Amino acid sequence: MSPHVLILGGTTEARRLAADLAARPAVRVTTSLAGRVASPAPVAGETRTGGFGGPEGLADWLLTHRVDVLVDATHPFAASITANAARAAAVTGVRALMLRRPGWRPVAGDDWHLVDSLDAAAEALPRLGRRVFLSTGRLGLAAFRHLTDLSFVVRSVDPPEPPLPPDTRVLLARGPFTVTDETRLLRTHRIDVLVTKDSGGAATAAKLTAARDLGLPVVVVRRPEPPAGVTVVPDVAGVLERLGLSSPRGSGAADTCP
Ligand code: NAP
């Protein structure tokens, strides 16, 4: 029988992995989405949507649907589902991998201010600037609501969840963004400080280059640590290699997962 891979998705890497696995007739792939985004990007293979009901619910799902490999390819800041995945895999004995794109690294010319949370980012902001580009996603913006002297530009795929700071302009957009796009945005809105999570990846990295070019400070929220004992791989190729599926897509060879 075809091995069944469950991908916990919501990222570009998850979609890429699903596309690669779905192209292999000898593998069954299901991607799970949280259901937060109104129109998610299309995903190859089977999909399911919505929470499982904690680690116990996920463990049940793994057993009921005869999952052979669980790949947690969720966003680096989606800490709850990642913890649930580790627990469900431990309880069921299902093989688990964590696909985590590497974080960003500062280079010469960057003026980064590393913090551990959105609350800490809000605390750092008043001494760094007054016009803020907030690209930390649509959730958790209540951390900034008390900053009534600052102006915010918030960018997210779907409308941000209130409460928001009183002086907030919302831009709805989905990456990838180019350095030209980002430079224009920063100049148009006369931004003097950025806030971002250390999401890593190329799709949203251009804002960091634009900030460096313009000499702007960036508040970077550090990502949570992966759960202890989990095997972390940095990219889709790493997952395929771990599963013995590293042959080129469509070659038909070595489809031996798990
Ligand atoms: P989270 O706080 O870690 O998860 C909260 C709950 O949402 C989980 O306990 C789980 O509910 C459900 N859930 C999350 N991801 C799921 C998935 N892929 N499939 C099924 N249920 C899922 O997650 P989050 O930060 O809200 O992120 C939600 C989704 O958006 C994730 O899939 C993530 O990849 C994506 N995303 C997150 C961010 C971010 O900055 N956090 C950015 C971009 C994309 P149950 O306990 O009921 O199973």
Side-chain angles (χ1 to χ4, degrees), residues 9-10 32-34 36 50-54 74-75 77-81 84 197:
S32 174
L33 299 171
R36 303 267 200 284
F52 295 93
T74 56
H75 190 271
F77 283 81
S80 299
I81 188 71
N84 292 355
K197 293 175 177 171

Side-chain angles (χ1 to χ4, degrees), residues 73-142:
T74 56
H75 190 271
F77 283 81
S80 299
I81 188 71
T82 287
N84 292 355
R87 280 186 57 194
V91 167
T92 57
V94 169
R95 184 177 180 191
L97 295 172
M98 186 173 175
L99 169 52
R100 273 295 174 278
R101 62 178 94 129
W104 291 314
R105 293 277 169 270
V107 300
D110 279 327
D111 178 14
W112 284 16
H113 301 257
L114 291 164
V115 295
D116 284 322
S117 64
L118 292 178
D119 287 335
E123 204 179 315
L125 274 179
R127 62 190 148 76
L128 294 172
R130 298 185 61 80
R131 299 186 61 83
V132 184
F133 177 37
L134 205 49
S135 64
T136 52
R138 58 182 287 271
L139 301 177
L141 303 185

